[in-house]
Amino acid sequence: MSNPLLIFNEKGIYCEQAKVYLDPWKPVDHAIISHGHADHSRWGHKKYITHHSNVPIIKHRLGEIVVTGKEWNETFTINGVKFSLHPAGHIIGSSQIRVEYKGEVWVFTGDYKMEDDGVAVPYETVKCHSFITECTFGLPAFKWVPQDQVMTDVNNWWQQNREDGRTSVLFGYSLGKAQRLLKYLDPSIGKIYTHGAIENMTEVLRPQLSMPETIRITRDTKKEELKGSMVLAPPSAQGTPWIRKMVPFVTASASGWMTFRGARRRRAIDKGFVLSDHCDWQGLLQAIEGTGCEKVICTHGYTEIFSRFLREKGYDAKTEETQYEGEIGELEAKSEIEKDLEIVKKAPESL
């Protein structure tokens, strides 16, 4: 029996025929990168291939690297293996990686979502035999509401805080979530300030995306200037001396984990907005069904529960260990939810 087209080893997802890795977590000679988040695009590879819109992102994060940018659906062949990149809808420049050899087709999704957020190129269904998927939010409890509704709630929250004379501090990850929020914030309400980490990444992405004006917070920024304004900050800024400048302030977090009040309570977050750059439960199932695949490999998230459910549905589904960890805050939230709901040992049919 021949070896699978893609295998998982100690360095990453490996195509032996092409001698190429997909999103490797240890240094390799040749790497195809799905997107710019740190757990998927790491420093130390000799050569990188990614979508051209992701090139400035990983150069900003990784420094001087040897990288080649590709177009959507552009086929490139390495030792007889055909590769192409297809929109994943996760963040700007995020790709699914299609791999074909002798009529066998695999798709590695990286991270992805089904909703068109108006920022990333929308997810594209790619037919395949084997589908490698994340399942970050692979539980029926996760069901997203439309983005328009969430952003209306965000802007109403900001407006009310301004009327109350308080600064709105909204936490979102520096790459992807922050720019998605920024694009739909209403600048007629007030000024939008940013933490340096978010401003640095936003400057990289402005050539690709229309966003409202922002003001970087520096040591010279006066507390009085911030009153009633919106401040975008990474989750790591919470509880640091940096945030004291915002007093009086109200905090909120935008994340899929905000589905659960316990996650908000433990972080002392005043408000939670359920907004994720990953698929919810139905989105995952819709994506898998759309590929027409027979085999599914679950790489990170609620892998055991989700793969068990897929087997019940008739798929050849299994899990594989990776180092795709997501943000530290997300990992903590996942652990908290598991403790609260005691779901890890429950069978899928009980969810």
Side-chain angles (χ1 to χ4, degrees), residues 161-215:
N161 293 337
R162 183 173 179 82
E163 292 173 4
D164 295 339
R166 297 183 293 182
T167 301
S168 301
V169 181
L170 181 55
F171 297 112
Y173 297 119
S174 300
L175 170 57
K177 184 66 63 62
Q179 292 76 36
R180 184 180 177 189
L181 292 166
L182 177 57
K183 181 174 176 62
Y184 297 105
L185 287 175
D186 182 0
S188 70
I189 298 173
K191 293 181 179 179
I192 303 171
Y193 288 82
T194 53
H195 183 281
I198 287 178
E199 187 63 25
N200 290 342
M201 185 56 68
T202 299
E203 288 176 351
V204 172
L205 294 175
R206 280 196 183 277
Q208 301 187 51
L209 180 65
S210 175
M211 294 177 283
E213 180 184 354
T214 53
I215 304 169

Side-chain angles (χ1 to χ4, degrees), residues 98-202:
R98 182 184 186 274
V99 186
E100 179 181 356
Y101 185 63
K102 294 184 177 179
E104 182 181 357
V105 179
W106 287 57
V107 169
F108 168 57
T109 59
D111 290 327
Y112 67 107
K113 70 172 179 293
M114 300 294 286
E115 182 180 25
D116 179 1
D117 63 6
V119 175
V121 176
Y123 175 89
E124 174 188 313
T125 297
V126 182
K127 297 292 184 179
C128 61
H129 302 104
S130 299
F131 190 62
I132 303 175
T133 180
E134 59 140 317
C135 43
T136 303
F137 294 104
L139 292 176
F142 295 108
K143 184 178 181 180
W144 310 149
V145 298
Q147 174 180 272
D148 288 350
Q149 180 179 332
V150 176
M151 289 310 303
T152 295
D153 291 343
V154 169
N155 283 313
N156 288 342
W157 171 77
W158 178 16
Q159 179 66 55
Q160 185 60 58
N161 293 337
R162 183 173 179 82
E163 292 173 4
D164 295 339
R166 297 183 293 182
T167 301
S168 301
V169 181
L170 181 55
F171 297 112
Y173 297 119
S174 300
L175 170 57
K177 184 66 63 62
Q179 292 76 36
R180 184 180 177 189
L181 292 166
L182 177 57
K183 181 174 176 62
Y184 297 105
L185 287 175
D186 182 0
S188 70
I189 298 173
K191 293 181 179 179
I192 303 171
Y193 288 82
T194 53
H195 183 281
I198 287 178
E199 187 63 25
N200 290 342
M201 185 56 68
T202 299

Side-chain angles (χ1 to χ4, degrees), residues 260-263 265-266 334-343:
F260 296 95
R261 293 180 180 177
R265 184 179 64 251
R266 287 185 178 89
K334 178 176 180 289
S335 176
E336 291 165 358
I337 292 167
E338 289 173 351
K339 290 177 183 177
D340 280 354
L341 301 183
E342 297 182 351
I343 55 171

Side-chain angles (χ1 to χ4, degrees), residues 50-52 69-76 84-86:
T50 193
H51 188 262
H52 69 79
K70 299 292 185 180
E71 298 287 347
W72 300 124
N73 297 280
E74 175 186 348
T75 300
F76 52 101
S84 55
L85 304 180
H86 303 262

Side-chain angles (χ1 to χ4, degrees), residues 219-235:
R219 292 181 179 179
D220 296 328
T221 305
K222 300 293 187 291
K223 176 179 174 180
E224 295 75 22
E225 300 174 33
L226 298 170
K227 189 174 182 181
S229 298
M230 169 65 74
V231 175
L232 291 178

Side-chain angles (χ1 to χ4, degrees), residues 290-348:
T291 67
C293 68
E294 298 175 355
K295 183 177 182 179
V296 182
I297 300 176
C298 303
T299 58
H300 55 297
Y302 289 100
T303 53
E304 293 295 340
I305 292 175
F306 191 64
S307 62
R308 199 184 322 156
F309 179 82
L310 292 177
R311 289 193 293 273
E312 292 290 327
K313 298 283 286 184
Y315 290 95
D316 176 7
K318 67 175 185 176
T319 67
E320 287 284 359
E321 291 293 326
T322 68
Q323 293 186 20
Y324 306 139
E325 299 176 344
E327 299 285 348
I328 297 299
E330 288 191 350
L331 291 177
E332 292 172 348
K334 178 176 180 289
S335 176
E336 291 165 358
I337 292 167
E338 289 173 351
K339 290 177 183 177
D340 280 354
L341 301 183
E342 297 182 351
I343 55 171
V344 176
K345 295 182 180 180
K346 290 185 178 181

